[in-house]
Amino acid sequence: MFEFIRNNLLSPFVGSLFPASIEVQALYTLDALIKIIVILIPVLLGVAYLTYAERKIIGYIQVRIGPNRVGPLGLLQPIADALKLTFKEIIIPSGANKKLFIIAPILSLAPSLAAWAVIPFNDVAVLADINAGLLYILALTSLAVYGIIIAGWASNSKYAFIGSMRAVAQIIAYEIAMGFALVGVLIAAGSLNLGDIVRAQDGSLLHWFWLPLWPLFIVFFLAGVAETNRAPFDVSEGESEIVAGFHVEYGGMAFSIFFMAEYANMMLISILTAIMFCGGWLSPFQGVPFLGEPSIIWLLMKTSFFLFLFLWFRATFPRYRYDQIMRLGWKVFIPITIVWLVVVSVLVVAQIPPWFD
Amino acid sequence: MIEQIIFYFFAAILIISASMVITVRNPVHAALFLVLSFFSSAAIWLLLEAEFLAITLVLVYVGAVMVLFLFVVMMLDINLAPLREGFTRYLPVGILVAVLMLLFMALIVSSDSFNLNQAEGIKHAADYSNTAELGLILYTEYLYPFEIAGAILLVAIIAAIALTMRKSKTLKTPKPEQQVAVKREDRVRLVKMESEKRDT
């Protein structure tokens, strides 16, 4: 895209307005900005329609119809919700810490959008093809907790504070298991670059990492569900106990930004699971003509499947009790991942086919 | 030039936020400014092409250590007045420590291993992986120091866990593993009863 802009759109200006070096920098910036928009708009639309999908799917699971009033099949429902939330007043409680109260939702949305920078959509389409992609993802997902902790504290409300304390303890616990699962992927692929991780799974359905890394795959996805504070791990919102948890004092756009952050995080976890364990953009029918072609469509289908699992879990499981959440994180997931790291290392060193030969 | 602008931008944020850490009154604000200063120093490390260290700084210090720190600071109801007392009394000691720190830092930074006479940092090609280079040097040249540091950390973890393992005998905590393992047969008994005839 950079070459395209330079050669076609801006060719009359090259070298004439500014020194060439600044012009190249400016073009790179413009190129990056266009790519950011091309990635972010589908992500935000996806967030909006994920809420619609959630209400429809959970509706059908519970033998209801779900939203069907606004537009055909209720398809304009997310737009109506967004409009409503935009025009609502943001109420700042009198005892709240005003600056932090405003900053908190921004801090929770920004990392979950910034993480999309390193996601590869196919062999070439990636905004920042950096070496340490996996580390970057891990660092940014660990930042999302600041929005929650600051929101809980700045609201000056008991419910919000309890909610944020629960969320923080839970996210810290599950982040370790998640990190260890990523270390397993790193050992198996021999690279921190997400594109290289997908390329290491090339071959067939059985070459994908879900098979040799099965326990890590399960642990990563469930830790992801816990990390995004989704049911059955949604004790930080726990409607029946602490009203709405950390965002109980928020309304209007401030609330909807928390909401968007949660759904953007769900999409991020799903696409990461698809990339690291299910072959990313690779086709499950490799070798078959046409169907075997690698494509972004496969990536989106895999991501949608994991998103569906998020919604399915929410409709199926009752909320975990808090001590059981802690036990699952510290005493079950972390030992499983540590044991499987040893197993993966042995597999890699022994060069076991078909994955590591 | 743009690199220099970025450097001075983050350096300014780093210095401002670091001085805010020690001057703001609210401990939560101080902790958040510390987070900001970690963040800007990570950005400066990125300019040095040390992406592994920069991202690890964010991951470990911002993502884990400071979260726990904030957690504790928010839970404690700290009375600020006694913390502010005796500022002038401790001032000479503080100045002494500061001067010593400055001296040590000057000694270390001016030594040969820092190569400050080299005006420009070494630039690497695009396929240079900082992570791989660090791994290579850690597991070859510095293998023993690395392993010893790992062993010390492991001992510290085990010690910390051992310190919290004391349990009062009177404490009645539920055992989740038993509760999770419960089957339906343990809790529910289905009883079959003949329906009774109504007396007429």
Side-chain angles (χ1 to χ4, degrees):
Chain A
M1 189 173 271
F2 169 62
E3 274 80 22
F4 175 77
I5 296 172
R6 192 183 55 195
N7 295 337
N8 299 307
L9 300 176
L10 292 165
S11 55
F13 309 116
V14 171
S16 59
L17 293 174
F18 303 104
S21 64
I22 291 187
E23 211 144 300
V24 169
Q25 294 269 14
L27 278 180
Y28 265 119
T29 318
L30 186 67
D31 177 53
L33 276 179
I34 293 172
K35 282 181 183 164
I36 288 172
I37 293 169
V38 168
I39 293 174
L40 277 195
I41 287 180
V43 168
L44 293 178
L45 273 179
V47 166
Y49 277 89
L50 184 54
T51 62
Y52 172 76
E54 172 167 39
R55 292 167 70 177
K56 272 285 183 197
I57 289 170
I58 293 183
Y60 281 119
I61 289 176
Q62 295 167 349
V63 206
R64 297 182 284 115
I65 296 175
N68 67 341
R69 293 288 106 180
V70 194
L73 297 170
L75 272 172
L76 296 179
Q77 184 70 43
I79 315 269
D81 287 343
L83 270 179
K84 186 198 84 173
L85 284 167
T86 316
F87 289 113
K88 275 176 89 169
E89 184 188 357
I90 299 174
I91 299 162
I92 298 176
S94 54
N97 189 318
K98 200 172 170 187
K99 279 181 207 144
L100 290 181
F101 190 79
I102 301 289
I103 289 175
I106 303 169
L107 276 183
S108 80
L109 182 61
S112 49
L113 293 183
W116 287 85
V118 295
I119 301 285
F121 295 99
N122 66 32
D123 214 9
V124 286
V126 49
L127 174 61
D129 194 12
I130 59 173
N131 284 323
L134 207 58
L135 264 178
Y136 174 84
I137 292 273
L138 202 58
L140 278 179
T141 48
S142 71
L143 287 185
V145 66
Y146 276 97
I148 296 175
I149 192 171
I150 292 174
W153 184 77
S155 300
N156 193 23
S157 149
K158 291 278 185 294
Y159 290 130
F161 194 60
I162 292 173
S164 77
M165 286 292 135
R166 287 181 177 192
V168 171
Q170 177 182 331
I171 289 176
I172 294 260
Y174 282 86
E175 203 173 83
I176 298 171
M178 209 169 177
F180 275 135
L182 294 185
V183 171
V185 175
L186 156 68
I187 293 175
S191 172
L192 280 169
N193 180 302
L194 290 172
D196 287 343
I197 289 173
V198 175
R199 280 183 276 275
Q201 303 175 50
D202 197 19
S204 71
L205 189 67
L206 298 177
H207 284 75
W208 296 353
F209 284 156
W210 62 269
L211 197 56
L213 304 182
W214 176 254
L216 299 184
F217 170 47
I218 301 295
V219 166
F220 178 82
F221 188 66
L222 292 184
V225 176
E227 189 108 316
T228 46
N229 292 321
R230 291 289 300 180
F233 302 102
D234 61 342
V235 286
S236 63
E237 305 188 9
E239 300 90 348
S240 51
E241 304 152 24
I242 49 172
V243 198
F246 61 91
H247 55 54
V248 66
E249 303 290 345
Y250 283 85
M253 271 318 273
F255 164 75
S256 73
I257 286 178
F258 274 120
F259 210 67
M260 281 158 71
E262 183 178 326
Y263 283 80
N265 271 329
M266 280 164 65
M267 289 168 65
L268 187 70
I269 295 289
S270 304
I271 201 167
L272 279 177
T273 318
I275 285 173
M276 291 188 301
F277 297 99
C278 296
W281 61 79
L282 299 172
S283 158
F285 311 108
Q286 246 172 340
V288 181
F290 185 69
L291 268 184
E293 290 297 312
S295 158
I296 186 173
I297 298 170
W298 292 117
L299 180 61
L300 294 183
M301 279 166 69
K302 290 166 191 172
T303 310
S304 314
F305 172 70
F306 288 116
L307 281 174
F308 177 72
L309 284 186
F310 267 95
L311 309 181
W312 195 2
F313 287 165
R314 179 169 168 195
T316 309
F317 296 119
R319 186 173 296 136
Y320 250 91
R321 210 175 64 201
Y322 201 75
D323 60 329
Q324 292 180 350
I325 290 185
M326 283 297 142
R327 175 177 167 273
L328 186 70
W330 289 104
K331 293 188 178 173
V332 180
F333 280 1
I334 293 177
I336 288 178
T337 48
I338 291 177
V339 168
W340 208 257
L341 278 187
V342 178
V343 175
V344 173
S345 312
V346 170
L347 289 180
V348 171
V349 170
Q351 296 188 327
I352 303 292
W355 310 292
F356 307 117
D357 50 348
Chain B
M1 189 193 73
I2 287 176
E3 213 167 289
Q4 274 171 348
I5 295 174
I6 296 172
F7 171 77
Y8 282 114
F9 177 71
F10 282 110
I13 294 183
L14 175 56
I15 290 171
I16 293 170
S17 57
S19 42
M20 290 299 258
V21 173
I22 50 173
T23 50
V24 290
R25 290 182 166 271
N26 191 325
V28 174
H29 289 181
L32 289 173
F33 273 116
L34 192 54
V35 170
L36 184 60
S37 54
F38 278 137
F39 220 90
S40 26
S41 46
I44 291 176
W45 282 4
L46 268 184
L47 281 180
L48 286 171
E49 301 186 3
E51 80 254 12
F52 181 79
L53 289 178
I55 298 177
T56 314
L57 180 70
V58 173
L59 177 63
V60 175
Y61 282 91
V62 179
V65 174
M66 287 314 293
V67 172
L68 289 177
F69 209 81
L70 265 180
F71 194 92
V72 174
V73 169
M74 285 175 176
M75 296 263 264
L76 298 174
D77 198 15
I78 299 173
N79 189 2
L80 291 173
L83 287 177
R84 297 267 145 200
E85 279 172 9
F87 182 73
T88 44
R89 193 152 56 94
Y90 294 123
L91 195 61
V93 186
I95 290 176
L96 186 70
V97 172
V99 169
L100 274 178
M101 288 269 289
L102 204 66
L103 204 68
F104 289 151
M105 276 161 73
L107 275 176
I108 293 171
V109 172
S110 64
S111 71
D112 285 341
S113 49
F114 264 79
N115 261 341
L116 274 187
N117 44 9
Q118 204 172 2
E120 289 258 322
I122 307 161
K123 296 282 176 219
H124 297 282
D127 62 341
Y128 166 81
S129 171
N130 177 247
T131 317
E133 295 292 321
L134 266 179
L136 271 181
I137 203 160
L138 269 185
Y139 283 99
T140 52
E141 201 169 327
Y142 297 102
L143 181 62
Y144 287 123
F146 183 70
E147 296 281 333
I148 291 169
I152 292 174
L153 283 176
L154 183 66
V155 170
I157 292 173
I158 294 171
I161 295 173
L163 281 178
T164 60
M165 284 293 269
R166 287 172 299 173
K167 256 189 193 159
S168 158
K169 286 225 172 78
T170 54
L171 204 63
K172 284 181 180 168
T173 48
K175 293 192 176 62
E177 54 272 24
Q178 288 178 6
Q179 295 177 323
V180 170
V182 162
K183 296 273 189 310
R184 192 192 69 171
E185 290 78 40
D186 305 337
R187 295 285 165 88
V188 182
R189 189 163 53 96
L190 291 181
V191 185
K192 204 154 188 112
M193 288 183 77
E194 290 290 316
S195 57
E196 288 178 23
K197 294 239 167 52
R198 191 186 290 171
D199 303 325
T200 45

